[in-house]
Amino acid sequence: MGDVILENLCAATEDHAVAATEADAVDRMPARWVAWPGTTEQTAAVMRVATHHDLAVVVRGSGTKLTWGARPERVDLVLDTSRMDKVVEHAAGDLIVVVGAGRRLDDLQGDLAGSGQRLGVDPARRGTVGGLVATAATGPSRLLHGPVRDLLIGVTVVRADGVVAHAGGKVVKNVAGYDVGKLLTGSFGTLGVITQAAFRLHPLPAARSWVSVPLSRPDGVPNSVPAGTCAPVNVQALVQQVVHSQLVPAAVELDRPPSGGVTLCLLLEGIPPGVEGRTTAALDLLGAGATARDDPPDWWGAEPFRRGEALLKVTHEIAGLAHLLTALDDVCASTGLASHLRGSVAVGAVTVGLAGIRDPADSDDPAVVHALVRCVASLRERAPAFGGTVVVLEAPGDLKDDLDVWGPVGGLELMRAVKRRFDPERRLAPGRFVGGI
Amino acid sequence: MDARGLADQLRPILGEDAIITDHQRLRTYECDGLAHYKVIPALVVLVETTAHVAAVVRACAAAKVPFVARGSGTGLSGGALPHADGVLIVMSRMREILEIDRASQRAVVEPGVVNLQLTQAAQPQGYYYAPDPSSQQVCSIGGNVAENSGGAHCLKYGFTTGHVTGLELVTPGGEVVQIGGKAVDAPGYDLLGALVGSEGTLGIATKVTVRLTRTPEAVRTLLAAFSHTDQAGAAVSAVIGAGVIPAAIEMMDALAIEAAEAAVHCDYPDGAGAVLIVELDGPAAEVAHQFDQVEEFCRDNGAFEIRVAADDAERALFWKGRKSAFAAVGRISPDYIVQDGVIPRTALPEVLRRIAAISAEAGVRVANVFHAGDGNLHPLVLFDDAVPGEAERAEQVSGAIVDLCIEYGGSITGEHGVGFDKARYMPRMFTDDDLDTMQLVRCAFDPSSISNPGKVFPTPRLCGEVPGRHKGAHPLTDAGIAEVF
Amino acid sequence: MAHPDQTHPDHSGGPASVRTGSPGTDAPLSRTPTPLGEPAFDGHRPPSPELVADCVHCGFCLPTCPTYALWGEEMDSPRGRIYLMKQGLEGEPMTPAMVQHIDRCLGCMACVTACPSGVQYDKLIEATRAQVERRFRRSLAERALRTAIFAFFPHPRRLRLMRGPLRLHQASGLSQRLRKSGLLQRISPTLAAMEELAPPVGRAERVPERTPAQGERRGTVGMLLGCVQREFFPGVNAATARVLSAEGFDVIAPAAQGCCGALSAHSGRENEAQRFARALVDQLDQRGQSDGASVALDAVVVNSAGCGSLMKEYADLLADDPAYAERAKRFADGVRDVAEFLHERGTVAPRHPLPVTIAYHDACHLGHAQRVRTQPRELLRGIPGLQLREIAEADLCCGSAGIYNILNPAAARELGDRKAANVLRTKAQLLVTANPGCLMQVASSVERTGQKIALAHTVEVLDASIRGLPVQSLGVSDTSVLDPPNEVTRAAPFPPKKR
């Protein structure tokens, strides 16, 4: 039977299908086949094969975020989009691009830079464009350009039953019909296979400047902030000053390692005279110790994460930052873990790395498991104070299976209803998403 | 039980003066801002709380009676056109601004709050609500959510969907659900993304949490007059091509200028074949520099007069003409159809020429007002209903313009929504599979098809079906119930 | 798109009509209008179908309409009222429902200011009200009340008779006790409203038949004495005459003049209004009488917004009367509001400082109907030491609207409260406006809040400045100037009443 399936997959993809290897496992769940459709039509054919043979399918781009989300219940087929990597259309005059889902983000940025344009997303893990959309990846420039959901203007998707559908279009303003593109954004491949996407673009800025200020230096304390500068309340106060100012930063990032210096860094973009003026104003606002440079700090846009540790995505109300920092410190103190928070505090979306989980080999040590589980649970308990959510992106080994990765979700029944309509047989990444979807 | 029967059921819950059954009073609700289409609702109810809305929807669900929600009734696609056998749920009494949270840059409002009122409430704190449809002094936030409204400044600031972070929703089943909140990126499917712009077909929003935007440090507005729309279009291309993203670029042609002048005496330059309003906002230094660039581009492309607004009052005057354009057209023509097509911005000059050709051939005048920055056209097709045949010709011209937009890879609606008016054009822009996929979303939220049925999609999908391809005619068509346009 | 409607039988069981089609079904939308009785309007000056057709249903008028602000329903909005008129023109009958919504209109004309299509709603509502007055049989109580009102208000001599008793009522403390007890409110909100609105009766100052110009004579003007203004705000008339005289104008104010007819016209009592208008034209014509000799008048100056507004429309009102049409037009062309007139001609009398913070309230019939907004402000700002603050929701009527506050006391009260709150938020010492109705309404509304603010007519402030009087003469007791609130004077929070 397996041979028949492989045969059919090869037929659907012009011989771009093989039996899976260990390397193709999705979050430790082994797969049986891998297929590389080269076009939307081939993708549809692959999904028809999957339907016919009742295969569970997980979509993969570069695989950078395959370990995010809950572990899928089963994986029969890995549908790899890498061959669908063409730039279909780049209308520079209209500032839009239509691109295959398998194109890598870095490559796309390179294509666009030639015309002095870019796609306004800069997430830490840069895989394919399709993955970017499917995971709603976010980075520092989200503050100015908006999240990827607002940059996506059109999408081609293959449904679980193999039907090809389009939503949106090639123009930025478009309210014809439902915004299926947004539903697909962040859906982790559970509603359909994105084969092509259209995005709105932005011009590359003529000038950029990063202005940072350390918040924990005992001497040279910034004038505008009272003593004890890295106290959560004071961090928030400074962030609020930036947020309410007229600096119009392109990004505001906080780096808060478990020990050592806390840094607040703003990115200013625009035309040279404007950036110069705003840099001066920013230096003034951030106070003594603030510095400006033409390139980002080395931690900029990177995840505070190392293998063997856990990574959380935490959202918060902008004015909830102090509560979040306090909650994090409290929870870590009581569980013995160390946290490294980094992210877009002016947007209210940050990532938190949790260390002290020790050797992954210890991962079935109940003490360790309990620490992480308790940490996440406690943080979620305090969520009303900072007004956000906690999602586990990464956790070592099988630890993840003991965790409630997604946490409580509002409107879950509606989401289940949507899933039932789009994928009634639960073919696409079953179990990977919220509420066991 | 039919809709009228619901009146007795709802009276004790909503109160006597919230129930309208009198024929003449019902008729005042028979249309929204698109007065071409009128349907008298069987029953009108005015709700004041979420509990009211839930009670009404539950009653409708139990009786299988359709319902339509209405805000200020200013929509331009017939989205609030009532259902003859249904209940019209009027939200205009739910108009409290519940909270302005400056620290988190959010506001929480009831859906009947008027767009401009929200901005005015936030202004003293240095913030405002960015999406600004031209009808903002009367349109409601709930209506904005339903239509994913844009406005002149959406070029830089985006549409309603980028500004809503939370909704309290009454589902078509009558349940109250909280989606999102003040924080972004709620885990799970982006239900907000599906709901904003769903035109009342997925339920009724009873609370909206929106993002507030910092009032910019500097705002500079210029008005440039050109002899011809070609030149104005070229100026726009130059501006965008140079990497400048203005807050707004609007264009009006000669006929639209004439109407606006008659209405509000905006005093636009005489003899202008086209007028551009360009507004830049942001940090003062950036704005100053970019403004000079924009002025230069306008001059280079033939602007024969450029006015720079010296103060808020003058700026308001520049905008007055543009914002009153639709209603002002009523002074130069008894009737009109307003279109809302989108084309790639670079195709603007050509498309305008083709519209002019269509207009000349049919002998129907077309005034053009548009968001030049993002290619969203508002051709105003003028006619006199009293003259036999003119209405039909106007309708034809209207359809031809829509086809033109699709031909150029654009959209049939940029901000007014599909509603009732453009449902018949949907199959021109989307395939059956596309429409079928979208309707999966509708079936998920509203399996009984009672939430504003008959809008957006020309052919309703039977929600009991298994998704997939249909062979042959749609069963509804066979049964003589539905028509494919 | 001439898509006909469909109709349903109304709940009183009228004739059925064919229901054909709805969006989402196969059949096209269709309308079969079925008038259920005699059409609403007859052929004598009905609301004009052309004017009704000007409305494009855009809704820009809704947020400016006081009744929409109060109740949030389409029928009580200009757009909805025009729609009802349209229905009437299409043959629908004049039902109690239709009349209720027409009656509820304040006639403030904020919608006229807001309308981008230029719909002349003022003409429409007046024509419709006249039809209602003639063709609709009101209830006995309603008719009695209206008869009583119009037996008094347009007759200065009869109003004068009320002065004595009213003064006694106020002086005895009965008025205060009544208001405190809320007894009248329970018996009859209308009576309570009238009681509350009655201004404090002071000394009667009569304006002479002729007040000579001071200094160089720049012209001669006629002056309307009015009815309520004459008897209950005589100080305003006296101030008007003095100011005009100080600015170099002879003021001719024949005592024999009567009512201008505004209250009648704005309530649809067409014949009555025309009678008053003819009489006034005779009395205040270009060839004014003075000491037996006729004098050419440069203008007829009016200090009451409601009156001036109608007098400027006399040409329309008397258009059908061949004996008066011409004269009415000439007369109307010469009518000026006092602020308008002084602004037009320029002022020459020196101003003395008046260190006072004022809030200026645009009376609807001055701001919306006559579009006189900047002139009073500039005149007031011309007084050294005077600071003018704008009131939030300035375009929203105070609820006075002629006799509206007597006929619809509950609605007027709500609007009055809202206006009072907005006025008090300016923290001004003195409220200045140009209409006796507004003065009474805001005065009673402010009194209900328990707070105080002095009230004066625009012309009284000018008078005080010209004569070098202290601010106390305007009733300002607290001379400390309070700091203005931050930035814009925000509107008072007014969540709609949850029923």
Side-chain angles (χ1 to χ4, degrees):
Chain A
M1 189 53 173
D3 294 328
V4 172
I5 293 177
L6 187 52
E7 242 175 71
N8 290 339
L9 287 172
C10 283
T13 59
E14 288 173 359
D15 276 348
H16 283 92
V18 299
T21 66
E22 254 181 57
D24 297 312
V26 175
D27 199 4
R28 296 156 292 131
M29 186 60 88
R32 290 156 71 191
W33 299 278
V34 186
W36 288 263
T39 63
T40 301
E41 290 64 38
Q42 288 183 11
T43 309
V46 167
M47 288 313 298
R48 284 197 294 273
V49 170
T51 303
H52 184 77
H53 293 289
D54 192 26
L55 305 178
V57 178
V58 171
V59 183
R60 175 178 81 190
S62 316
T64 52
K65 296 174 274 287
L66 274 183
T67 48
W68 287 15
R71 192 152 76 121
E73 284 164 16
R74 59 186 183 115
V75 183
D76 297 312
L77 172 65
V78 171
L79 197 159
D80 191 297
T81 59
S82 320
R83 282 181 63 216
M84 295 185 282
D85 64 348
K86 311 282 175 294
V87 171
V88 174
E89 185 185 346
H90 176 202
D94 293 314
L95 288 159
I96 63 118
V97 69
V98 183
V99 59
R103 187 154 193 76
R104 300 189 63 107
L105 181 59
D106 286 340
D107 294 335
L108 177 63
Q109 301 285 34
D111 303 327
L112 302 172
S115 309
Q117 297 178 350
R118 65 173 168 182
L119 176 59
V121 280
D122 51 356
R125 293 188 197 199
R126 287 186 298 286
T128 61
V129 156
L132 172 72
V133 172
T135 57
T138 179
S141 54
R142 178 205 181 132
L143 179 61
L144 187 63
H145 291 120
V148 70
R149 80 193 271 283
D150 289 336
L151 300 172
L152 183 70
I153 60 176
V155 71
T156 304
V157 62
V158 175
R159 294 188 342 209
D161 56 4
V163 170
V164 177
H166 307 85
K170 292 190 313 184
V171 285
V172 172
K173 277 189 93 161
N174 188 354
V175 293
Y178 298 137
D179 199 335
V180 174
K182 289 200 169 54
L183 261 184
L184 290 167
T185 306
S187 64
F188 275 70
T190 56
L191 291 179
V193 183
I194 301 169
T195 57
Q196 199 171 285
F199 295 98
R200 78 169 285 182
L201 304 173
H202 287 89
L204 281 168
R208 303 166 92 176
S209 145
W210 280 263
V211 183
S212 319
V213 67
L215 293 178
S216 65
R217 291 229 291 251
D219 55 331
V221 166
N223 294 333
S224 51
V225 179
T229 58
C230 56
V233 147
N234 297 318
V235 174
Q236 179 174 313
L238 187 60
V239 169
Q240 301 252 250
Q241 279 186 13
V242 171
V243 155
H244 296 314
S245 74
Q246 291 288 1
L247 295 172
V248 192
V252 176
E253 298 283 297
L254 183 73
D255 182 42
R256 191 174 185 264
S259 60
V262 177
T263 317
L264 184 68
C265 182
L266 324 182
L267 167 60
L268 300 166
E269 291 181 345
I271 53 169
V275 170
E276 217 178 286
R278 282 147 67 208
T279 301
T280 311
L283 287 167
D284 198 46
L285 184 130
L286 295 178
T291 53
R293 36 197 282 198
D294 294 334
D295 53 352
D298 46 18
W299 55 263
W300 184 266
E303 279 168 1
F305 169 73
R306 283 192 298 263
R307 281 189 63 83
E309 297 177 351
L311 184 67
L312 312 177
K313 174 173 173 181
V314 181
T315 61
H316 61 93
E317 290 176 29
I318 297 166
L321 179 61
H323 287 300
L324 171 58
L325 299 179
T326 310
L328 200 53
D329 291 344
D330 289 346
V331 164
C332 286
S334 71
T335 56
L337 298 174
S339 74
H340 187 166
L341 182 145
R342 184 185 289 160
S344 313
V345 290
V347 168
V350 299
T351 47
V352 177
L354 292 172
I357 306 194
R358 297 200 296 255
D359 197 319
D362 289 344
S363 62
D364 43 356
D365 175 350
V368 172
V369 168
H370 283 150
L372 189 54
V373 168
R374 264 181 19 243
C375 179
V376 170
S378 304
L379 208 51
R380 285 194 179 129
E381 264 167 49
R382 312 263 301 243
F386 55 86
T389 56
V390 181
V391 168
V392 178
L393 296 177
E394 299 273 5
D398 293 327
L399 251 170
K400 205 152 76 122
D401 300 334
D402 293 317
L403 292 167
D404 177 4
V405 163
W406 294 104
V409 170
L412 185 57
E413 278 318 302
L414 286 170
M415 295 180 193
R416 289 208 170 101
V418 170
K419 170 70 174 185
R420 274 197 301 273
R421 294 290 172 174
F422 274 76
D423 182 19
E425 328 247 287
R426 295 184 79 238
R427 187 163 315 294
L428 294 164
R432 196 172 174 202
F433 205 46
V434 300
I437 286 176
Chain B
M1 182 177 319
D2 70 353
R4 273 310 174 85
L6 288 179
D8 296 321
Q9 199 182 323
L10 295 171
R11 222 173 250 114
I13 307 173
L14 270 56
E16 177 62 48
D17 71 342
I19 310 280
I20 298 177
T21 52
D22 173 85
H23 170 71
Q24 289 181 356
R25 289 178 169 139
L26 288 175
R27 279 201 58 195
T28 60
Y29 283 101
E30 68 188 8
C31 62
D32 58 14
L34 189 65
H36 305 302
Y37 306 119
K38 308 178 198 334
V39 175
I40 306 179
L43 177 67
V44 170
V45 299
L46 292 121
V47 291
E48 294 186 30
T49 64
T50 303
H52 284 178
V53 178
V56 175
V57 172
R58 274 199 295 273
C60 288
K64 297 213 192 312
V65 164
F67 63 85
V68 176
R70 172 184 166 120
S72 301
T74 56
L76 293 170
S77 56
L81 184 68
H83 199 285
D85 302 315
V87 179
L88 185 71
I89 306 178
V90 179
M91 311 293 293
S92 51
R93 284 185 179 164
M94 288 183 71
R95 50 194 171 164
E96 262 188 73
I97 296 174
L98 299 169
E99 186 188 355
I100 304 233
D101 181 354
R102 179 182 192 263
S104 286
Q105 302 182 315
R106 299 286 185 270
V108 182
V109 300
E110 289 186 330
V113 167
V114 168
N115 179 297
L116 186 61
Q117 280 174 2
L118 174 55
T119 283
Q120 286 168 342
Q123 247 157 14
Q125 301 190 50
Y127 279 82
Y128 73 113
Y129 180 63
D132 62 340
S134 302
S135 56
Q136 65 176 152
Q137 58 198 94
V138 49
C139 64
S140 65
I141 297 290
N144 293 161
V145 166
E147 305 295 330
N148 190 13
S149 306
H153 289 79
C154 71
L155 175 64
K156 182 170 175 189
Y157 291 101
F159 333 112
T160 303
T161 190
H163 293 263
V164 173
T165 60
L167 282 182
E168 178 185 81
L169 178 78
V170 173
T171 67
E175 272 182 66
V176 181
V177 178
Q178 308 292 338
I179 301 173
K182 288 187 182 174
V184 297
D185 290 1
Y189 294 136
D190 189 351
L191 295 179
L192 290 177
L195 285 162
V196 179
S198 60
E199 307 196 27
T201 57
L202 302 182
I204 302 182
T206 48
K207 268 199 195 69
V208 187
T209 304
V210 299
R211 206 157 58 81
L212 294 174
T213 307
R214 183 75 176 90
T215 309
E217 182 176 43
V219 180
R220 293 194 67 188
T221 314
L222 74 69
L223 182 79
F226 300 82
S227 317
H228 195 272
T229 50
D230 272 356
Q231 297 170 317
V236 172
S237 288
V239 167
I240 305 278
V244 175
I245 302 188
I249 315 184
E250 300 286 300
M251 202 192 300
M252 293 168 71
D253 73 359
L255 203 47
I257 294 168
E258 185 190 319
E261 196 53 50
V264 296
H265 310 295
C266 38
D267 205 24
Y268 286 170
D270 274 333
V275 142
L276 264 193
I277 300 175
V278 185
E279 186 156 286
L280 295 164
D281 69 19
E286 308 258 350
V287 168
H289 182 91
Q290 288 184 332
F291 201 74
D292 294 336
Q293 273 187 299
V294 169
E295 250 190 286
E296 217 179 287
F297 287 135
C298 286
R299 264 186 238 288
D300 289 345
N301 283 283
F304 64 81
E305 186 176 331
I306 297 186
R307 296 182 194 164
V308 176
D311 53 26
D312 274 344
E314 213 184 328
R315 177 173 166 251
L317 195 57
F318 286 179
W319 279 108
K320 203 170 174 195
R322 166 63 188 91
K323 297 220 170 195
S324 327
F326 293 178
V329 164
R331 289 189 197 237
I332 63 171
S333 172
D335 303 283
Y336 64 93
I337 301 174
V338 52
Q339 272 298 343
D340 178 40
V342 185
I343 44 146
R345 196 192 41 76
T346 47
L348 206 55
E350 220 176 294
V351 169
L352 287 177
R353 252 178 300 222
R354 301 254 323 247
I355 293 179
I358 295 172
S359 155
E361 199 185 309
V364 174
R365 290 185 303 168
V366 178
N368 285 296
V369 171
F370 39 96
H371 307 290
D374 46 34
N376 185 196
L377 316 166
H378 293 304
L380 296 151
V381 183
L382 312 177
F383 68 101
D384 186 350
D385 204 11
V387 175
E390 259 194 47
E392 284 71 30
R393 280 208 305 282
E395 191 54 43
Q396 269 166 26
V397 166
S398 210
I401 294 175
V402 169
D403 284 336
L404 196 57
C405 293
I406 297 175
E407 188 189 317
Y408 278 82
S411 171
I412 62 175
T413 173
E415 50 186 11
H416 296 169
V418 176
F420 176 74
D421 186 46
K422 300 186 202 65
R424 64 189 183 285
Y425 296 127
M426 286 288 270
R428 301 193 202 184
M429 187 171 164
F430 296 108
T431 66
D432 282 349
D433 287 334
D434 298 340
L435 296 175
D436 195 66
T437 304
M438 284 192 239
Q439 295 217 63
L440 291 176
V441 178
R442 234 202 62 208
C443 289
F445 281 77
D446 182 23
S448 309
S449 280
I450 58 168
S451 185
N452 208 7
K455 307 286 170 61
V456 186
F457 300 102
T459 313
R461 186 186 210 283
L462 292 174
C463 294
E465 291 168 18
V466 170
R469 295 217 151 102
H470 304 295
K471 297 210 167 36
H474 193 282
L476 279 181
T477 321
D478 272 343
I481 293 171
E483 230 182 80
V484 178
F485 288 94
Chain C
M1 297 302 296
H3 281 290
D5 289 350
Q6 58 193 84
T7 49
H8 286 270
D10 73 353
H11 66 292
S12 65
S17 60
V18 177
R19 216 178 30 230
T20 45
S22 244
T25 68
D26 61 320
L29 306 173
S30 75
R31 173 212 317 240
T32 48
T34 52
L36 301 164
E38 197 191 317
F41 306 127
D42 63 20
H44 176 71
R45 292 165 70 109
S48 152
E50 283 79 35
L51 294 187
V52 165
D54 279 344
C55 173
V56 297
H57 217 258
C58 71
F60 274 45
C61 52
L62 262 59
T64 63
C65 175
T67 55
Y68 189 78
L70 287 180
W71 304 314
E73 26 172 75
E74 188 74 15
M75 304 79 69
D76 280 314
S77 75
R79 183 173 66 172
R81 292 189 178 107
I82 292 174
Y83 215 80
L84 288 169
M85 293 174 200
K86 184 166 88 84
Q87 290 179 43
L89 289 170
E90 286 166 0
E92 298 255 8
M94 185 181 285
T95 59
M98 187 193 280
V99 171
Q100 180 191 46
H101 297 302
I102 299 296
D103 278 350
R104 279 182 178 176
C105 171
L106 280 93
C108 70
M109 282 166 285
C111 53
V112 174
T113 302
C115 177
S117 300
V119 177
Q120 296 177 71
Y121 180 84
D122 47 339
K123 292 202 162 63
L124 286 171
I125 193 71
E126 251 177 60
T128 309
R129 287 213 222 262
Q131 293 270 338
V132 167
E133 279 311 299
R134 273 188 300 110
R135 295 164 57 72
F136 186 74
R137 187 88 175 139
R138 294 187 188 281
S139 71
L140 187 62
E142 269 277 310
R143 276 182 283 139
L145 179 57
R146 282 166 188 262
T147 307
I149 291 172
F150 284 96
F152 271 103
F153 281 95
H155 302 279
R157 267 184 284 227
R158 297 181 201 173
L159 284 176
R160 190 178 310 182
L161 292 175
M162 279 174 64
R163 279 176 54 88
L166 191 54
R167 200 168 178 176
L168 199 61
H169 167 76
Q170 288 170 347
S172 70
L174 178 62
S175 167
Q176 270 232 10
R177 285 203 293 278
L178 259 180
R179 288 182 200 184
K180 265 218 174 96
S181 74
L183 180 65
L184 266 186
Q185 181 71 21
R186 268 173 282 159
I187 297 175
S188 157
T190 306
L191 267 182
M194 285 166 72
E195 203 281 333
E196 281 176 20
L197 290 167
V201 180
R203 201 172 50 84
E205 281 179 74
R206 298 283 155 212
V207 173
E209 290 254 348
R210 179 173 176 272
T211 309
Q214 290 174 38
E216 187 194 320
R217 193 167 74 84
R218 296 201 280 151
T220 309
V221 297
M223 182 181 143
L224 180 83
L225 294 172
C227 310
V228 172
Q229 188 95 287
R230 191 190 326 203
E231 292 312 321
F232 290 109
F233 297 95
V236 175
N237 279 354
T240 307
R242 282 195 297 266
V243 169
L244 287 167
S245 151
E247 295 291 357
F249 296 95
D250 277 352
V251 184
I252 311 292
Q257 60 178 278
C259 178
C260 67
L263 282 179
S264 310
H266 295 150
S267 305
R269 297 164 70 104
E270 200 178 9
N271 288 339
E272 192 176 76
Q274 285 167 335
R275 280 200 305 276
F276 283 131
R278 286 189 204 104
L280 193 66
V281 167
D282 285 338
Q283 290 148 359
L284 271 183
D285 205 350
Q286 288 285 100
R287 300 180 302 110
Q289 300 292 319
S290 167
D291 304 328
S294 65
V295 176
L297 297 176
D298 296 324
V300 173
V301 176
V302 184
N303 59 16
S304 162
C307 307
S309 153
L310 181 74
M311 286 160 70
K312 286 183 178 176
E313 291 171 22
Y314 271 359
D316 224 22
L317 184 62
L318 297 172
D320 292 342
D321 185 340
Y324 278 86
E326 278 281 323
R327 291 172 60 201
K329 173 130 193 4
R330 276 203 313 271
F331 182 91
D333 286 344
V335 172
R336 294 286 183 277
D337 176 79
V338 58
E340 188 186 10
F341 180 75
L342 290 172
H343 190 266
E344 214 173 276
R345 295 306 202 97
T347 57
V348 299
R351 287 3 189 187
H352 297 90
L354 267 182
V356 65
T357 329
I358 70 164
Y360 179 74
H361 164 69
D362 292 283
C364 292
H365 278 94
L366 194 57
H368 295 307
Q370 299 184 57
R371 296 180 209 242
V372 172
R373 289 189 192 88
T374 51
Q375 299 93 319
R377 285 176 169 79
E378 283 183 29
L379 286 170
L380 289 163
R381 285 204 175 98
I383 297 173
L386 184 144
Q387 202 197 112
L388 190 152
R389 290 184 191 156
E390 297 292 343
I391 303 170
E393 297 189 308
D395 285 338
L396 202 65
C397 182
C398 67
S400 167
I403 50 167
Y404 189 91
N405 47 13
I406 299 173
L407 296 172
N408 296 274
R413 192 173 241 256
E414 265 193 77
L415 290 168
D417 287 343
R418 193 156 166 168
K419 180 63 71 175
N422 281 325
V423 164
L424 290 169
R425 266 180 159 237
T426 63
K427 303 229 196 307
Q429 299 162 288
L430 176 67
L431 175 69
V432 179
T433 188
N435 200 40
C438 303
L439 280 170
M440 291 194 289
Q441 172 77 351
V442 178
S444 76
S445 305
V446 167
E447 189 180 315
R448 273 200 298 276
T449 69
Q451 296 192 56
K452 284 198 185 335
I453 187 170
L455 300 135
H457 189 290
T458 311
V459 86
E460 286 179 308
V461 181
L462 294 173
D463 181 48
S465 170
I466 291 173
R467 291 203 288 159
L469 297 178
V471 296
Q472 284 84 348
S473 71
L474 293 167
V476 176
S477 48
D478 173 16
T479 48
S480 65
V481 178
L482 296 156
D483 287 318
N486 287 333
E487 293 176 40
V488 175
T489 307
R490 296 165 55 189
F494 245 95
K497 277 216 293 267
K498 298 289 187 206
R499 283 142 226 263

